[in-house]
Amino acid sequence: MIPKVKILIWLVLPLLLSSCTLSNTRSQPSLPAIPDYPSAEQPNRNPIEYSKYQSSQTASFETTDPPDTVLAFYRDNLPASGWSTGKAGSQGDAQFTLVAGCQLSLLNIKARVTPPGKTSVELALSAQFCD
């Protein structure tokens, strides 16, 4: 028969090794605020989608600014809120990450030129708890 101490260790060990608090596992992660682009036209923000441990939201807008100007705005403004530049994507793409406590947030931005002389911008924001 296994001693009671060993049983207790196997019951408590997963809790001690967990990097998140128990309160985090009972709710969905919140999405951080993203600054609005100053010359956004026809902004569209979709409802937040929730799964067990992840939240996500997409948004889009158009602007007459070129894609590089749009991405520069986010590269200049997001670090003030704790965001870091993530992996480089293709031209017109940018990724940012934010770690706050035991929550990881990702922001993917795609900016593409669309006729006539507009830039279409798509933002995909997601947040999940750390493992």
Side-chain angles (χ1 to χ4, degrees):
M1 192 159 127
I2 301 175
K4 290 181 182 180
V5 174
K6 285 186 179 180
I7 293 173
L8 184 59
I9 289 173
W10 284 109
L11 291 174
V12 175
L13 187 61
L15 294 175
L16 295 175
L17 295 177
S18 172
S19 61
C20 294
T21 63
L22 287 176
S23 62
N24 280 347
T25 62
R26 295 186 184 132
S27 65
Q28 290 87 15
S30 60
L31 293 173
I34 303 299
D36 292 329
Y37 189 72
S39 61
E41 301 170 5
Q42 301 177 349
N44 178 32
R45 190 169 292 195
N46 296 313
I48 298 173
E49 295 181 12
Y50 297 101
S51 63
K52 190 170 183 178
Y53 298 111
Q54 183 174 359
S55 302
S56 61
Q57 184 176 34
T58 58
S60 61
F61 63 87
E62 290 183 345
T63 182
T64 55
D65 296 336
D68 291 344
T69 302
V70 173
L71 296 177
F73 169 81
Y74 288 105
R75 282 191 195 103
D76 292 345
N77 288 283
L78 288 172
S81 300
W83 289 89
S84 300
T85 303
K87 66 178 183 177
S90 62
Q91 187 175 1
D93 292 354
Q95 184 181 71
F96 300 90
T97 57
L98 173 66
V99 177
C102 191
Q103 180 175 307
L104 170 66
S105 299
L106 298 173
L107 174 63
N108 290 299
I109 302 173
K110 292 183 180 184
R112 303 281 187 264
V113 175
T114 57
K118 298 256 185 187
T119 296
S120 175
V121 181
E122 297 177 2
L123 298 96
L125 176 62
S126 64
Q128 64 187 29
F129 292 126
C130 307
D131 289 334

